[in-house]
Amino acid sequence: MNAPREHLLVVDDDAEIRQLLATYLQDNGYRVTAVADGRAMRAAMAAGDPDLVILDVMLPGEDGISLCRSLRTRSEVPVIMLTARGEETDRIVGLEVGADDYLPKPFSPRELLARVKSVLRRAKALPANLRRRDGRLFRFAGWQLDAVTRNLTAPDGVVVPLGATEFRLLRALLDHPGRVLTRDQLIDLMLSRDAGPFDRALDVQVSRLRQRLREDAREPAIIKTVRGQGYVLAAAVETEG
C-alpha cells in the first residue's frame, strides 16, 4: 500500500505562478492546494493541516510576513517564503518571524522542489526521543513560558519579549531539560531548515537568551555550556495545559 502523499499549501496571488507550482509539484508526487490570499490560506488550514506551506510575501491585504507570524502562534508547520525582494534584510525578517526557508523570485521550480524536499526531510529527521513535549505552559527556575502566546514571564511577574529565534531556542531547551543538545540538534529542533545563519549565530542567540533570563554571563545557572558538546537546560521543567 502506498504511503499518503505529502500535502503542500501554496499561497500566491499570481494565478499563473500558482498554477505553475501546483502542476509541477503535483507531477513530482505531492498533493497541492493553491490559494490566493490569507483568508483562503486560513480556510485551507482549517480544512486540514498541510505538511508544508509555500507562502508569498507580497500578498493583497495581509502580507506573508504577518501571516507567517500569525501562523507561528498556533502551528509549527514548515514554511518556505517566496518574495520578489531578495535583500538580506528581508530574508532575515522572514526567518525571524518563523519561516524555515526563504526563496527570492525569480526562481526555478526545480530549486523550489529541492528546498521542499530538504525542509520535509529535516522535519522528519529528529529521533523520537527528541520530539516536543505536550503542554502550553512551561515553568522553570521561577520563569514561565506560554508556548501559545510566546510570552516569557519573569519570577517578578515582568513579561520579557522574545524574538522568534529566541523563542524557538528556549522551547527546544525546555523540551529536553537536563539533556545536552549539540548545535546540530538544536538547529533541527528549532526547525530552521536554512541552518547556515543559525549555525553561525547559535552562540550569539544563546547569549541573547541568557540575557533575557537575567543570567550571569560568566556563571549561567539555567542554560549551561558543555564544552565541546553543546548546551543543556539545567533547571527542572514543569508543564501544564
Side-chain angles (χ1 to χ4, degrees):
M1 183 175 180
N2 293 330
R5 293 190 298 167
E6 289 162 311
H7 182 202
L8 310 181
L9 174 58
V10 176
V11 188
D12 197 304
D13 63 320
D14 187 313
E16 185 175 346
I17 291 178
R18 279 201 315 275
Q19 184 59 50
L20 171 67
L21 294 183
T23 300
Y24 185 80
L25 293 169
Q26 286 167 351
D27 288 346
N28 280 275
Y30 296 99
R31 182 164 62 92
V32 181
T33 300
V35 300
D37 55 28
R39 179 178 298 179
M41 169 184 155
R42 289 192 171 93
M45 294 286 296
D49 291 334
D51 295 292
L52 182 145
V53 177
I54 299 168
L55 177 60
D56 187 29
V57 170
M58 303 297 289
L59 292 171
E62 191 172 4
D63 66 25
I65 296 292
S66 176
L67 287 168
C68 185
R69 183 183 292 112
S70 174
L71 180 62
R72 278 290 170 261
T73 65
R74 61 185 186 278
S75 173
E76 289 296 336
V77 61
V79 175
I80 297 176
M81 302 202 76
L82 308 176
T83 181
R85 298 177 299 186
E87 291 83 359
E88 184 178 5
T89 52
D90 293 321
R91 179 171 172 274
I92 291 171
V93 168
L95 294 172
E96 280 295 321
V97 298
D100 301 288
D101 206 345
Y102 197 92
L103 192 58
K105 296 178 179 178
F107 58 87
S108 71
R110 178 180 293 183
E111 181 179 6
L112 176 62
L113 178 63
R115 302 288 186 102
V116 167
K117 289 179 177 178
S118 176
V119 167
L120 290 173
R121 182 172 60 250
R122 292 194 61 174
K124 296 176 180 178
L126 291 174
N129 63 353
L130 284 181
R131 300 299 184 189
R132 286 197 155 188
R133 283 188 173 195
D134 292 329
R136 170 172 178 167
L137 298 179
F138 294 75
R139 298 188 179 93
F140 61 102
W143 292 79
Q144 176 176 287
L145 177 71
D146 187 320
V148 175
T149 65
R150 303 194 175 196
N151 286 335
L152 176 65
T153 305
D156 59 8
V158 174
V159 176
V160 179
L162 289 178
T165 305
E166 293 166 342
F167 168 79
R168 292 156 91 178
L169 174 58
L170 178 57
R171 178 65 194 272
L173 291 164
L174 289 173
D175 283 334
H176 307 92
R179 175 168 183 162
V180 178
L181 297 173
T182 67
R183 286 169 173 78
D184 286 344
Q185 287 174 331
L186 279 170
I187 290 165
D188 284 341
L189 287 165
M190 292 163 67
L191 296 179
S192 50
R193 316 303 193 264
D194 186 13
F198 292 112
D199 189 21
R200 291 191 300 271
L202 185 60
D203 294 338
V204 174
Q205 293 295 339
V206 170
S207 177
R208 289 177 179 172
L209 183 55
R210 282 171 171 160
Q211 291 177 22
R212 303 288 195 203
L213 295 170
R214 305 172 182 174
E215 293 250 68
D216 183 335
R218 293 168 296 181
E219 295 185 8
I222 300 176
I223 303 173
K224 292 183 175 292
T225 301
V226 181
R227 189 173 300 277
Q229 297 184 53
Y231 297 99
V232 59
L233 188 93
V237 178
E238 298 178 357
T239 59
E240 177 186 329

